[in-house]
């Protein structure tokens, strides 16, 4: 009887548990929402971002190290060992900072400067040397030079200048403006610049019309003039008579006036490589001047060797159209004079004739005349 009760209780418990499990709801599978033809609500218009004011390829400025000088601009370096120097080169600078009054030497090369204004130089009256090379400068305010009246050296090569800056100080001794886009020299740009010794206008866009007769008249101390790699067709006029070095390579010059070099008292170096000179445009004795030491006429159209003075030491005639050399005609002195007086032996030491229509051997009369010749390239 007791065992039956136990069995009955176990059976009832089993049935009750089964009922509980069968009543637990199963999770329903998600049903896909039916497609609707309603379009999404329009999004509010986003205002256009304005274009940046400067090219985005400019890297950020590089700040200099902490300085003991409170007036040292953050973009620059001020060394205690050189308190008169302000080093702002290679700093990605766009605008020239305020220059401290103690500055004599200012280095601003290899930056992204586009304009030079007077505000930066309000306290910089003692600046002597400025290097602005390799920037993007298209304008130098003439008021700048009123702030720095004692400037001696201005290096502004490899920029975007289209004309020689105006208002240059009379104190200037060296002006380097090569590799710009200069096609204009304003009237009076070089007036009262009697201290200028070096003028470098290499690789610009200057033509004959841009070089008036009086452009260089006030440059009485000029020693080196570089007008190479422009678009000149004529020899520049009005060159100061005390000039020592004249560089006119890579122009389109095809004619030299007969007496062009006669007024020069110290001219020692003349370079006319890569022009269009032929025998027709080169008078025979045009280079026969006593002061000339180095004459370069390579890559022209010469068919004969022009006469030169016995003081000449280096002569470059390579890559012309020369077919023969007559040592007797070329020698500045007669062979009889050379035999009787060794003091008149020509001083030519270096002669280039390669790239012509010549072949060895070197004529004997050339060797007999130019006894100091150490190197000849043929």
């Amino acid at each position: 009887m007791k065992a039956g009760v136990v069995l009955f209780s176990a059976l009832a418990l089993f049935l009750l548990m089964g009922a509980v499990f069968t009543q637990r709801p199963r999770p329903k599978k998600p049903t896909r929402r039916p497609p609707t033809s309603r379009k999404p609500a329009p999004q509010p218009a986003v205002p256009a971002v304005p274009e940046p004011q400067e090219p985005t390829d400019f890297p950020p400025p590089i700040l200099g190290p902490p300085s003991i000088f409170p007036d040292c601009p953050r973009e620059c370096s001020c060394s205690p060992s050189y308190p008169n120097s302000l080093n702002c080169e290679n700093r990605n600078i766009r605008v020239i900072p305020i220059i401290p009054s103690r500055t004599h030497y200012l280095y601003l090369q290899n930056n992204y400067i586009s304009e030079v204004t007077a505000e930066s130089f309000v306290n910089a009256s003692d600046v002597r040397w400025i290097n602005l090379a390799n920037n993007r400068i298209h304008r130098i305010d003439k008021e700048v030079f009123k702030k720095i009246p004692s400037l001696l050296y201005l290096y502004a090569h490899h920029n975007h200048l289209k004309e020689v800056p105006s208002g240059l100080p009379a104190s200037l001794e060296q002006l380097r403006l090569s590799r710009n886009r200069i096609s204009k020299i304003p009237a009076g740009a070089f007036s009262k610049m009697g201290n200028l010794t070096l003028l470098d206008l290499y690789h610009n866009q200057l033509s004959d019309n841009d070089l008036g007769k009086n452009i260089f008249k006030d440059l009485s101390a000029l020693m080196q003039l570089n007008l190479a790699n422009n678009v000149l067709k004529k020899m520049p006029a009005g060159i100061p008579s005390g000039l020592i070095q004249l560089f006119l390579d890579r122009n389109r010059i095809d004619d030299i006036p007969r007496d062009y070099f006669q007024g020069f008292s110290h001219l020692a170096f003349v370079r006319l490589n890569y022009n269009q000179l032929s025998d027709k445009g080169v008078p025979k004795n045009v280079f026969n001047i006593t002061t000339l030491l180095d004459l370069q006429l390579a890559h022209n159209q010469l068919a004969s060797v022009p006469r030169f003075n016995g003081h000449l030491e280096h002569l470059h005639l390579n890559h012309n159209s020369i077919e023969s050399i007559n040592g007797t005609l070329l020698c500045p002195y007669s062979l009889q004079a050379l035999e009787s007086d060794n003091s008149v032996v020509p001083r030519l030491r270096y002669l280039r004739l390669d790239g012509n229509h010549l072949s060895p051997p070197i004529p004997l009369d050339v060797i007999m005349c130019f006894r100091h010749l150490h190197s000849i390239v043929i």
Side-chain angles (χ1 to χ4, degrees), residues 284-285 287-290 292 295 305-315 325-339 341 343-349 351 365-373:
K284 274 294 181 183
N285 290 302
F287 297 115
N288 190 7
I289 52 178
T290 58
L292 199 58
L295 176 60
V305 179
R307 292 177 184 171
F308 52 88
N309 193 271
H311 293 94
L312 190 71
E313 296 182 3
H314 296 83
L315 177 59
I325 299 177
N326 188 323
T328 303
L329 295 177
L330 190 60
C331 190
Y333 313 108
S334 67
L335 295 179
Q336 291 80 5
L338 294 176
E339 292 295 336
D341 187 359
S343 64
V344 298
V345 174
R347 299 177 185 176
L348 191 67
R349 299 174 181 273
L351 175 62
D365 51 3
V366 172
I367 298 174
M368 292 292 294
C369 175
F370 302 104
R371 300 174 188 180
H372 291 303
L373 200 59

Side-chain angles (χ1 to χ4, degrees), residues 164-307:
V164 172
S166 298
L168 293 167
S171 58
L172 205 61
E173 295 181 3
Q174 290 192 14
L175 178 59
R176 297 181 183 269
L177 296 172
S178 62
R179 293 189 177 276
N180 276 277
R181 303 169 183 177
I182 296 173
S183 60
K184 180 182 178 182
I185 302 178
F190 301 131
S191 63
K192 301 179 181 179
M193 295 183 65
N195 294 309
L196 194 70
T197 60
L198 184 149
L199 176 57
D200 186 2
L201 290 165
Y202 165 80
H203 206 296
N204 279 285
Q205 300 171 15
L206 292 168
S207 65
D208 299 325
N209 294 331
D210 303 316
L211 301 182
K213 185 176 181 179
N214 297 319
I215 285 290
F216 307 112
K217 71 173 184 176
D218 292 329
L219 304 181
S220 56
L222 195 65
M223 292 188 290
Q224 184 185 116
L225 176 61
N226 192 342
L227 289 168
N229 214 323
N230 280 277
V231 288
L232 302 177
K233 294 183 179 180
K234 299 178 180 178
M235 299 291 288
I239 304 296
S241 60
L243 195 73
I244 296 175
Q245 299 177 341
L246 177 61
F247 303 147
L248 293 167
D249 313 80
R250 295 185 182 275
N251 279 283
R252 304 172 186 174
I253 299 171
D254 60 3
D255 179 74
I256 303 176
R258 183 177 302 277
D259 299 325
Y260 184 82
F261 295 109
Q262 293 305 311
F264 293 96
S265 57
H266 298 90
L267 189 63
F269 302 88
V270 174
R271 292 196 336 216
L272 281 159
N273 303 313
Y274 291 94
N275 276 281
Q276 299 176 9
L277 294 171
S278 64
D279 289 1
K280 181 180 178 181
V282 179
K284 274 294 181 183
N285 290 302
V286 70
F287 297 115
N288 190 7
I289 52 178
T290 58
T291 58
L292 199 58
L293 301 178
D294 188 292
L295 176 60
Q296 299 189 21
L297 299 169
H299 293 272
N300 278 283
Q301 302 163 20
L302 298 173
S304 61
V305 179
R307 292 177 184 171

Side-chain angles (χ1 to χ4, degrees), residues 72-90:
C72 185
R74 288 295 310 278
E75 307 95 324
C76 306
S77 172
C78 302
S79 171
S81 302
Y82 304 96
N84 298 125
S85 295
L86 184 62
N87 297 83
C88 310
E89 71 274 21
N90 301 299

Side-chain angles (χ1 to χ4, degrees), residues 98 116-123 141-145 147:
I98 300 298
V116 183
T117 59
E119 289 78 6
S120 302
F121 297 87
V122 66
N123 299 319
D141 187 354
K142 65 180 180 180
E143 298 298 320
V144 168
F145 303 113
K147 306 292 184 182

